[in-house]
Amino acid sequence: MRRSLAGVALAVTSMVALSFLIPLAALVMSLVKEQGVTAAQQRGAALAPVLALTTDPDALREAAAGLDAADHLVVHLPGAASLGGSKAPAELLERAQRGRESISQEVPGGWVCLQPVVLPGDKVAVIENFVPDAELTRGVAQSWAVMCFLAVGLITGSVLVADRLGAKVVRSSKRLAQASRALGLGDLDARVEPMGPRELHDAGVAFNAMAQRMNELLAVERELVADLSHRLRTPLTALHLASERMAGTPESARVEAAVCELESELQAIIAAARTPLAVGPMGQGLLGTERPPGRGAGAAAGEGPRSEAAEVVRRRTAFWAVLAEQQNRSCSLDITQEPTAVGLSDDDVAAVVDALIGNVFRHTPEGTAFAVAVVRTAQAVELVVEDGGPGIPEPDRALSRGSSTGSTGLGLDIAARAATATGGTVRVTRGPLGGAHITVTLALAAAAQSGHRTRFARRRRR
C-alpha cells in the first residue's frame, strides 16, 4: 500500500507538473522572442527622426551606433549604398520601399525588422534592424532549468508526503492485523493502540471493544460452567449415600468406584472452568488454536503437558471393561510396548478414550464387541477404537458437534480437538468388526521423537 500511494502521488504530480510546464515553457520562449523583436522595432523608430532631419552618412552611422552597439542597425538610402551589413533579402527591401510598409519577418540566423521613412522629395529610405537567434532565446534555457528544478522539487515533496501518509496507514493496518492474529491464536489480552486515519482509528477502538467483550462473555460462560458443575454435587452426594447403603452387595464396589470417578471428573471440570481464560484443555487456548503440524504441546521448548498415552489407555480401558463384561461385550486391548509420550495431559488423553468408548456403549446394542489399540509410528501415536455395531453412515458430518441425529457429537469433537492440539488428525472408517473404526493420531512429544531416532540410529550402527 505504501508503494502504491507513492506511485499514485508520483503519477498525479508528474501529470500536473507537465500540464503546466509545457505551456509555460512555450510562453517563456514566445515572450523572450517578442521582447527582442519589440526592442528592434523601437530602435528603428528612434532612428527615423534623425533620418528625417539629415541623410549625411556619418551622422547616420553615429546615430545608429548610439542606438545599437552591435552594428545590427542598417540604413538603406535611396540611390546610395547601405550604411552597414544588411541581412534582409532584396525582395523584402524592395517591398518595404515600394509599399512603404513595416515588415517584421524571420530570416536565416535571426529576425529582421524593416521600417520605411519618407524623405523630402517623396523618396523612401528603409531602416533595417537585425535580431540574431541568440538574442531571441536569451535566458530561455535558464528559465526552463528553474522550472524543471521546481517541478522536480514539487514531485519529490509530493512523493515524500504520500510515503509518510502511507507509512502511517500501513503501520496502523499492520498493528491491527497483528492484534487480530494474536487474538485468533488465543491471546485474549491482545489489544491495539488506535492510530492512523479516522477509519483505522475507529477500527482499532472497535477491535479493543470486541476483545474486551469477548473476555467478559467467556468469563461469564466459564463461571456458568463452574456453577452448573457445583450444582451436580448434590445428586453426587445422594449417590454416595446410596452406595453406602448398598455396602456388602456385589454391586457396591463397582457403584462406589463409578461415583468416585464421577466426582473426580466433576472436580476436573470445575478446576478447568476456574483456570485463566487464555489457558484451556487439550494443550490449546480457549479459542481452540491449532499448533503447527507435527508439534505437540511444549514440543518446541520441552514445556507443557505430557502424558504416556499407552498407560492412560490401559487404565481407562480396564475401567470400561467391567461394564463391558456386564453387558456381554467382548473387549480386546492391543497396546504397543514402545514409549508413547504425547503433548497432552493424562486427563486430556483419558477424556478422549472415555469419549470414544462411551460412544460404543451409547450407540451400539448390548453384546456388541469392541476393540482398543495403541500403535506407535515414527512420529505419532495412533489410538484406534472400533466396534461391531452399525457404523457411522456420514463420517465427515459426524465430526461436527451436534450434526448427528440423536447425538451431540461431543465425543468425536473432543477427540478432534485433542488431535488438532498435537498436530494430528481423526479418521472415521469402517473396520474389520463391521462397525465404526475411529483412528485418533496424536503427534509424539519432542523427547519421545528424539529418543526414537536415537534408538533407530543405534540399530543402524549395530
Side-chain angles (χ1 to χ4, degrees):
M1 179 184 291
R2 182 175 177 181
R3 184 178 300 176
S4 300
L5 290 176
V8 170
L10 175 62
V12 172
T13 311
S14 300
M15 292 175 61
V16 173
L18 289 176
S19 64
F20 279 96
L21 279 179
I22 294 176
L24 187 60
L27 179 62
V28 169
M29 189 171 183
S30 176
L31 287 177
V32 172
K33 184 176 181 179
E34 184 178 354
Q35 289 177 357
V37 174
T38 302
Q41 292 174 348
Q42 289 176 352
R43 288 192 295 267
L47 186 60
V50 178
L51 188 60
L53 294 176
T54 179
T55 58
D56 181 42
D58 295 333
L60 292 175
R61 286 191 184 93
E62 184 177 357
L67 293 174
D68 186 8
D71 295 333
H72 292 153
L73 199 59
V74 181
V75 179
H76 299 276
L77 296 174
S82 300
L83 302 179
S86 176
K87 301 289 185 180
E91 59 271 15
L92 286 181
L93 290 174
E94 185 178 358
R95 175 184 165 189
Q97 190 174 16
R98 287 184 178 183
R100 299 182 181 184
E101 60 175 328
S102 298
I103 299 176
S104 180
Q105 184 173 328
E106 185 179 6
V107 297
W111 197 276
V112 67
C113 297
L114 301 178
Q115 184 174 354
V117 178
V118 180
L119 301 178
D122 200 25
K123 296 181 179 181
V124 178
V126 178
I127 300 175
E128 174 190 340
N129 196 351
F130 177 72
V131 184
D133 289 335
E135 292 186 10
L136 293 177
T137 58
R138 182 179 300 169
V140 174
Q142 292 81 351
S143 299
W144 285 3
V146 171
M147 289 188 292
C148 290
F149 177 78
L150 292 176
V152 171
L154 178 63
I155 293 174
T156 304
S158 175
V159 171
L160 290 178
V161 171
D163 181 71
R164 290 297 89 198
L165 293 177
K168 192 173 183 180
V169 172
V170 170
R171 191 181 306 113
S172 303
S173 302
K174 283 185 176 180
R175 291 186 178 180
L176 184 59
Q178 290 173 355
S180 302
R181 193 178 299 110
L183 183 64
L185 293 176
D187 183 8
L188 299 182
D189 294 330
R191 297 293 185 275
V192 63
E193 180 182 356
M195 59 180 299
R198 181 178 179 180
E199 292 77 7
L200 286 177
H201 183 277
D202 294 343
V205 172
F207 174 84
N208 292 339
M210 177 192 68
Q212 182 62 31
R213 182 58 178 165
M214 283 181 59
N215 278 340
E216 295 174 357
L217 293 176
L218 291 172
V220 170
E221 181 180 356
R222 296 176 74 84
E223 288 296 329
L224 179 61
V225 172
D227 292 342
L228 292 175
S229 301
H230 277 294
R231 292 171 61 183
L232 292 177
R233 288 186 178 277
T234 300
L236 187 62
T237 303
L239 288 177
H240 267 297
L241 296 177
S243 64
E244 291 177 358
R245 285 194 296 268
M246 294 174 58
T249 64
E251 298 292 330
S252 62
R254 187 178 63 83
V255 172
E256 183 64 24
V259 171
C260 292
E261 183 68 22
L262 179 59
E263 185 176 13
S264 176
E265 293 294 335
L266 188 60
Q267 184 63 32
I269 293 175
I270 296 175
R274 296 297 189 185
T275 54
L277 287 178
V279 180
M282 298 196 177
Q284 14 178 10
L286 183 64
L287 297 180
T289 58
E290 299 183 6
R291 287 185 172 82
R295 296 179 62 183
E303 301 176 356
R306 192 180 182 86
S307 172
E308 190 66 30
E311 183 59 32
V312 177
V313 173
R314 180 182 289 108
R315 185 171 63 251
R316 297 310 303 161
T317 305
F319 171 80
W320 286 98
V322 178
L323 182 58
E325 183 179 358
Q326 292 183 354
Q327 294 185 2
N328 296 322
R329 295 177 182 269
S330 173
C331 174
S332 63
L333 178 64
D334 184 9
I335 296 180
T336 180
Q337 299 300 319
E338 295 186 76
T340 55
V342 295
L344 297 173
S345 66
D346 288 351
D347 291 339
D348 292 339
V349 178
V352 173
V353 177
D354 290 344
L356 297 181
I357 299 180
N359 281 343
V360 175
F361 282 85
R362 188 176 301 109
H363 301 293
T364 62
E366 294 187 7
T368 303
F370 69 95
V372 180
V374 177
V375 181
R376 164 69 184 269
T377 63
Q379 296 182 348
V381 175
E382 293 185 353
L383 169 61
V384 180
V385 177
E386 60 176 327
D387 60 69
I392 300 177
E394 299 180 13
D396 295 335
R397 187 181 177 188
L399 292 173
S400 301
R401 181 184 299 187
S403 61
S404 300
T405 305
S407 171
T408 63
L410 182 59
L412 290 179
D413 181 71
I414 292 174
R417 288 192 294 118
T420 302
T422 65
T425 58
V426 176
R427 300 192 308 273
V428 180
T429 59
R430 185 172 292 276
L433 295 180
H437 183 278
I438 301 174
T439 304
V440 180
T441 303
L442 305 175
L444 286 170
Q449 292 184 25
S450 61
H452 181 73
R453 295 193 187 100
T454 302
R455 289 194 301 274
F456 182 71
R458 289 183 187 144
R459 293 171 186 167
R460 291 195 61 180
R461 284 197 297 269
R462 287 199 293 268

